[in-house]
Amino acid sequence: NITNTPMANTVITVSIIAKLVVMVGLAVSVGLIVSSLMKEMKILLPAAVMLAMVDLYVVFGGGLVTQAVSGHSPKAQAAMKALTVNLPTTQVKAGAEPYQLAVGFADFLFIAVFFACFRRFGIPSRKTFVVLVTVLVLYMFAVAFTGTPLPALVPIAVVVLSLNLRHFKYDRSEKFALLYAGLILGVLFA
């Protein structure tokens, strides 16, 4: 059986890494373009909240991930395969295959958007980066141990917002607009 040879495993691993490099490169490139459209730092707060909510829908509310995992939608499965990168796993000689961890294009894209905006607006980001990497590694362990897909943009948004909240400056009318939007979203999702 040629699929279990060291050469076949090496080719598979190299193809996974190549796809990861290409997808991350493309996501970062698009993220840099998107970040150039952000005219003010304060746009990131509502953007991060919306992204987290959209990711919750995509993963849990009937979106692409939900449809793909259900196995009832070959189109959703094909889209998931195209829009995610499977992280390399160990090859097992016997027993159950390990759960395949995957990271989506949007996760890389919006990390790039946030950090490009931090650089553009002169916001120190080293602490945010260290905390974000730590949180995402722990998050991936949770995914691996539970076998349940989780929306990565939620912890990304929480870390980015919580560690940089002091950098978001709003005037009175903007604060009320954010409050009203938050109340509306609270009612919609309650």
Side-chain angles (χ1 to χ4, degrees), residues 92-162:
V92 294
K93 297 200 187 296
E97 286 290 319
Y99 182 75
Q100 183 62 64
L101 297 175
V103 179
F105 180 82
D107 303 326
F108 295 119
L109 186 147
F110 289 108
I111 289 172
V113 167
F114 292 133
F115 283 94
C117 284
F118 291 156
R119 179 165 170 79
R120 182 168 171 219
F121 297 118
I123 306 299
S125 59
R126 182 172 299 190
K127 181 179 178 183
T128 302
F129 179 78
V130 170
V131 171
L132 183 60
V133 168
T134 303
V135 167
L136 290 178
V137 166
L138 294 172
Y139 205 67
M140 289 305 278
F141 275 121
V143 171
F145 287 119
T146 64
T148 303
L150 295 173
L153 287 175
V154 173
I156 292 168
V158 168
V159 168
V160 165
L161 294 178
S162 65

Side-chain angles (χ1 to χ4, degrees), residues 53-109:
M53 291 179 19
V54 167
D55 208 21
L56 282 167
Y57 168 76
V58 167
V59 175
F60 295 128
L64 181 66
V65 175
T66 308
Q67 293 174 30
V69 171
S70 75
H72 299 303
S73 176
K75 288 181 182 179
Q77 289 172 329
M80 277 288 293
K81 187 172 183 170
L83 293 172
T84 59
V85 174
N86 291 336
L87 300 180
T89 59
T90 58
Q91 298 292 325
V92 294
K93 297 200 187 296
E97 286 290 319
Y99 182 75
Q100 183 62 64
L101 297 175
V103 179
F105 180 82
D107 303 326
F108 295 119
L109 186 147

